[in-house]
Amino acid sequence: MRNRLIALFAMSCALHGAQAGDAGTPCRRLLRAVQCATVPLAGADEDAEAKRFQPPPDGRARVYVLRPGTMAPAVKSTILLDGRPMRELAPQTYAVIDTSAGTHRIAARTDRDAEIELDLEPGRIRYVENRFSLLFFTVSGQLRPLEAQPAQAAIAQSRLVKSGAEGE
């Protein structure tokens, strides 16, 4: 029995690593592999560039939407800007969205949608956290603004999702 537990533990550790192009979610629960969400990831160079936190191009605003942690690992959240789908996030991923300055609605679509309204200033960066809670088998997402320092620390531990072809 002990050898079997050790073997299961070793196998779950082997499954823990990310595959190339996958979101790298820790995919184990109670030493068992579970189905986890994956999303297309940007390359290492693009990820490193985004983690420099440079201001957006002239007249534009930049929003980092991050999904730290591993709550609801099998659930993707679709991030919308003013009702338009922009990116999909899996656990421990983030997206960078450049848009016009002004008031914008950012939403995260899951079992229950979450929404936040932000006043974006030209040349400035804002950070939004996409968190999850599970209640009675329903995944609820929350969006909340974050200060730069905790947001950048969480982003440092996350991977950038690929930019979509959506109009930004």
Side-chain angles (χ1 to χ4, degrees):
M1 179 67 170
R2 182 172 182 228
N3 288 342
R4 191 172 203 195
L5 286 175
I6 291 170
L8 282 172
F9 179 74
M11 186 171 66
S12 70
C13 288
L15 291 172
H16 178 75
Q19 300 294 316
D22 288 349
T25 306
C27 294
R28 56 190 162 101
R29 291 279 189 247
L30 299 173
L31 299 177
R32 292 176 24 168
V34 296
Q35 181 69 30
C36 293
T38 58
V39 293
L41 297 175
D45 291 344
E46 194 176 350
D47 185 42
E49 179 64 27
K51 289 176 179 172
R52 292 181 59 220
F53 305 106
Q54 296 297 309
D58 288 341
R60 306 282 284 169
R62 179 166 289 161
V63 180
Y64 282 75
V65 183
L66 58 140
R67 184 174 164 191
T70 58
M71 175 62 88
V75 176
K76 293 180 189 181
S77 54
T78 301
I79 303 302
L80 298 94
L81 177 69
D82 297 326
R84 292 185 331 266
M86 301 303 286
R87 310 280 190 280
E88 283 191 319
L89 296 180
Q92 298 176 327
T93 62
Y94 70 99
V96 179
I97 301 170
D98 287 345
T99 190
S100 60
T103 302
H104 293 277
R105 273 185 9 257
I106 296 176
R109 185 177 292 155
T110 57
D111 290 350
R112 291 192 177 163
D113 295 352
E115 191 172 298
I116 189 171
E117 191 170 282
L118 295 175
D119 289 319
L120 303 176
E121 299 173 33
R124 303 285 309 265
I125 299 173
R126 296 287 302 269
Y127 301 92
V128 176
E129 178 183 43
N130 181 204
R131 282 258 178 216
F132 286 89
S133 62
L134 184 63
L135 182 62
F136 301 114
F137 305 105
T138 301
V139 176
S140 296
Q142 298 102 28
L143 291 173
R144 68 181 184 120
L146 283 181
E147 295 296 321
Q149 188 173 11
Q152 291 175 4
I155 289 168
Q157 303 300 313
S158 301
R159 301 269 315 268
L160 177 65
V161 298
K162 277 188 180 179
S163 296
E166 306 88 350
E168 291 176 33

